Amino acid sequence: MSTGKQLLDLAEKHIGEKYVFGAMVPFENSNYKGPWDCAEFVSWVVYQSSKIKVGIRGKEAYTGYWASDVGKLCTQISVSDAAQTYGAILFRSPGYKGIKIGHIAFSDGVGGTIEAKSSKDNVCRSTIAGRQWEYGILINDVVYQANKAFEFDYSNPPFNFYVSTPLMKHSIVEETKRKLASLKIYHGNFDQSYDKETSIAVSNYQALKGLVVDGVLGKNTLTSLKVKQYTQIEKSLIWFKQNFENKIWEKINNTPFDLFLLMAIAYQETGFVWSRMIDKTTVDDLLMSCTGDTLDFPNRKAFPKDKTELLAHPNGDKMFQIARKALKNIGRWDSVYNTIYETKPDKFCHGYGIFQYDLQFFKSNPNFFLSEGWGNMDKLIELAVSELHAAQSRIPSLKGKSTLSANEKIYVAIAYNKGTADVTKDFKQGHKNSEGKYYGELVNDYYRLASQL
């Protein structure tokens, strides 16, 4: 009886061999070395290792045949379980989520794949996250081993757009449509909806570029199209990870939080300014410029509601001068803040640091603000983690949990922003921006993207 690890061992020997869409494979030939299509590759490896014919009718393998064999020769499992199982199969059937072409790949048990991917990538190792999968598959007469040391929480990440009901909407989709129209591939309306016509255009572009033809607007297609908004976010998150990853992992050890959550919160809170500063100044200057939020009462309820309340507090006059200097500093990089500084002498910053530690904590932690401590990344991480712990404790169903799923981390981020979160509702919670997207939705977007980098 063959094992999942044996399937992987054989699949690995063929990495680098050519991919051709629709290629026919002689399943009985143990010396065959391509070209491959995705279904032919997986079916050939399974047959050579176990002598079991799955997904094959006559001389052809097809993802549609694999879908028919689930329940007969195979058992369906979740994508998360497949990701944690050596040699399990990741699967998307033809027509799933409006995607015409199916796809199939082996899971390497640690979050990656071995697959016949595309004419650009050929047979290769790739990743599970950030791609559209329907479910996992185990072949009934193959022995599998789970990787118990590895945890994987799969969900369909934002920045993966496909035809759905209701239609997915995002400004990145609109920019993509304009890019495709400039290539004379898309001829529809320039709006934010990912509809069937957009999916067809994306599929045609993918075919031209040798990408996986699935009609899904994901990382590879967005990067290939050079969609500016997407590539800017990606570039910024990569910069953040390269500069602060080690510090963050050290501070979040033995907590239910992760690097990607801190990356997402940092980009949501202050990415609008520090993403502009990358490669234009020092890291120290960048951190010191991450200040903001000049809203006073009635738009602000926390201390200090305005200049008068701040000045009435011990050392409030000194803090006001520091807060005005902080407003001037961010104004170097953001014209809106510069105008506020020059025209409104009573305005000052309420948020400090790349995670926006709020001035309400001046009462309990005055030394941080009076010493202008938001240039100290170690301290900023400690404060952010402390606030996340407090936010988690304010959500009854999450209080005290030592591990959190990806979705639960987003609810904690929402509570970090607005005080609490309702886990029975979706992520449309927290501050709502000018485009109509909520804090929770945006942090989820950035979290899923960060986890793919």
Side-chain angles (χ1 to χ4, degrees):
M1 187 173 287
S2 63
T3 68
K5 286 191 172 181
Q6 287 174 336
L7 299 181
L8 284 178
D9 289 343
L10 179 55
E12 186 176 30
K13 292 177 181 177
H14 293 268
I15 288 175
E17 292 174 2
K18 190 174 180 61
Y19 169 98
V20 172
F21 179 68
M24 300 292 285
V25 170
F27 298 104
E28 290 79 10
N29 184 352
S30 61
N31 295 316
Y32 186 73
K33 300 185 184 302
W36 307 96
D37 193 357
C38 67
E40 277 72 11
F41 179 69
V42 174
S43 292
W44 182 89
V45 169
V46 170
Y47 179 73
Q48 288 297 322
S49 296
S50 67
K51 300 306 176 186
I52 302 170
K53 284 194 173 183
V54 189
I56 300 171
R57 301 293 186 271
K59 296 182 179 180
E60 180 184 11
Y62 169 50
T63 49
Y65 300 152
W66 273 91
S68 298
D69 285 343
V70 173
K72 301 173 185 176
L73 302 172
C74 313
T75 299
Q76 180 176 321
I77 60 173
S78 71
V79 173
S80 294
D81 285 343
Q84 297 163 217
T85 303
Y86 300 107
I89 290 167
L90 285 306
F91 185 70
R92 184 188 70 241
S93 59
Y96 178 67
K97 297 289 188 182
I99 305 166
K100 182 178 179 181
I101 300 173
H103 195 64
I104 190 167
F106 289 109
S107 165
D108 66 6
V110 292
T113 65
I114 300 177
E115 60 186 291
K117 188 176 182 182
S118 66
S119 59
K120 178 180 179 181
D121 297 306
N122 297 303
V123 178
C124 65
R125 288 188 177 274
S126 189
T127 58
I128 297 171
R131 301 171 64 189
Q132 187 65 64
W133 305 103
E134 186 177 357
Y135 52 81
I137 293 174
L138 299 180
I139 300 166
N140 292 343
D141 291 329
V142 172
V143 177
Y144 292 94
Q145 179 183 344
N147 181 3
K148 296 181 179 179
F150 175 67
E151 293 185 6
F152 191 92
D153 182 11
Y154 176 80
S155 58
N156 298 325
F159 299 116
N160 260 22
F161 300 93
Y162 49 84
V163 180
S164 63
T165 304
L167 294 175
M168 292 183 173
K169 295 183 179 182
H170 202 286
S171 54
I172 282 175
V173 175
E174 181 178 350
E175 186 181 348
T176 296
K177 290 182 176 185
R178 295 184 184 279
K179 287 275 188 178
L180 292 169
S182 70
L183 298 171
K184 303 190 185 305
I185 293 174
Y186 175 73
H187 308 281
N189 296 324
F190 297 133
D191 56 30
Q192 296 189 358
S193 298
Y194 198 79
D195 54 18
K196 186 174 181 179
E197 185 173 356
T198 311
S199 178
I200 292 171
V202 167
S203 294
N204 290 335
Y205 176 81
Q206 290 168 334
L208 286 172
K209 294 296 182 179
L211 303 171
V212 176
V213 181
D214 56 14
V216 175
L217 182 61
K219 177 178 180 178
N220 290 339
T221 305
L222 286 162
T223 303
S224 177
L225 276 167
K226 295 182 174 61
V227 172
K228 184 177 180 181
Q229 185 183 165
Y230 173 83
T231 54
Q232 179 61 34
I233 297 171
E234 185 183 41
K235 174 186 175 183
S236 300
L237 290 172
I238 290 171
W239 176 90
F240 184 94
K241 183 178 182 181
Q242 289 173 337
N243 280 272
F244 306 123
E245 178 176 12
N246 292 338
K247 288 179 181 290
I248 290 174
W249 281 122
E250 179 182 340
K251 301 292 184 182
I252 62 176
N253 188 34
N254 296 321
T255 77
F257 314 123
D258 60 24
L259 169 68
F260 314 125
L261 183 62
L262 274 293
M263 291 170 67
I265 291 173
Y267 191 83
Q268 166 58 19
E269 294 286 355
T270 55
F272 73 95
V273 59
W274 58 261
S275 64
R276 306 173 188 176
M277 300 174 69
I278 293 172
D279 300 329
K280 296 179 182 177
T281 187
T282 64
V283 173
D284 288 342
D285 183 41
L286 180 148
L287 290 174
M288 289 302 297
S289 298
C290 288
T291 56
D293 183 6
T294 61
L295 294 178
D296 290 329
F297 183 84
N299 295 310
R300 180 179 173 86
K301 302 296 174 64
F303 169 87
K305 295 182 178 67
D306 53 26
K307 176 183 177 182
T308 299
E309 187 171 30
L310 178 59
L311 292 177
H313 193 78
N315 286 314
D317 54 345
K318 183 177 180 181
M319 186 64 232
F320 177 73
Q321 295 302 319
I322 292 172
R324 281 289 292 174
K325 184 174 74 171
L327 179 57
K328 182 179 182 180
N329 198 26
I330 190 175
R332 295 183 299 136
W333 301 96
D334 188 284
S335 60
V336 173
Y337 281 107
N338 184 57
T339 299
I340 292 172
Y341 175 79
E342 292 183 343
T343 61
K344 298 181 178 181
D346 289 341
K347 286 288 189 179
F348 58 98
C349 289
H350 296 94
Y352 292 84
I354 205 163
F355 304 108
Q356 287 293 269
Y357 189 61
D358 194 89
L359 192 55
Q360 65 180 298
F361 296 109
F362 181 62
K363 286 185 173 182
S364 59
N365 190 11
N367 288 339
F368 171 82
F369 297 97
L370 294 174
S371 66
E372 301 182 48
W374 53 96
N376 183 334
M377 189 61 178
D378 290 297
K379 187 63 177 177
L380 292 177
I381 298 167
E382 290 174 4
L383 292 171
V385 171
S386 177
E387 284 197 77
L388 287 171
H389 278 299
Q392 181 185 352
S393 70
R394 295 193 295 268
I395 304 174
S397 63
L398 303 185
K399 185 177 180 179
K401 291 187 69 172
S402 59
T403 60
L404 298 170
S405 69
N407 284 354
E408 288 172 337
K409 290 169 190 171
I410 304 305
Y411 287 115
V412 171
I414 292 169
Y416 177 95
N417 172 249
K418 68 184 290 284
T420 188
D422 187 342
V423 298
T424 67
K425 297 181 179 179
D426 61 22
F427 296 146
K428 292 182 179 180
Q429 302 179 56
H431 174 73
K432 187 178 181 181
N433 71 8
S434 59
E435 293 184 352
K437 293 203 74 173
Y438 289 83
Y439 185 96
E441 294 179 292
L442 291 165
V443 169
N444 183 51
D445 281 359
Y446 305 141
Y447 180 90
R448 306 298 176 176
L449 178 55
S451 68
Q452 298 171 32
L453 301 176

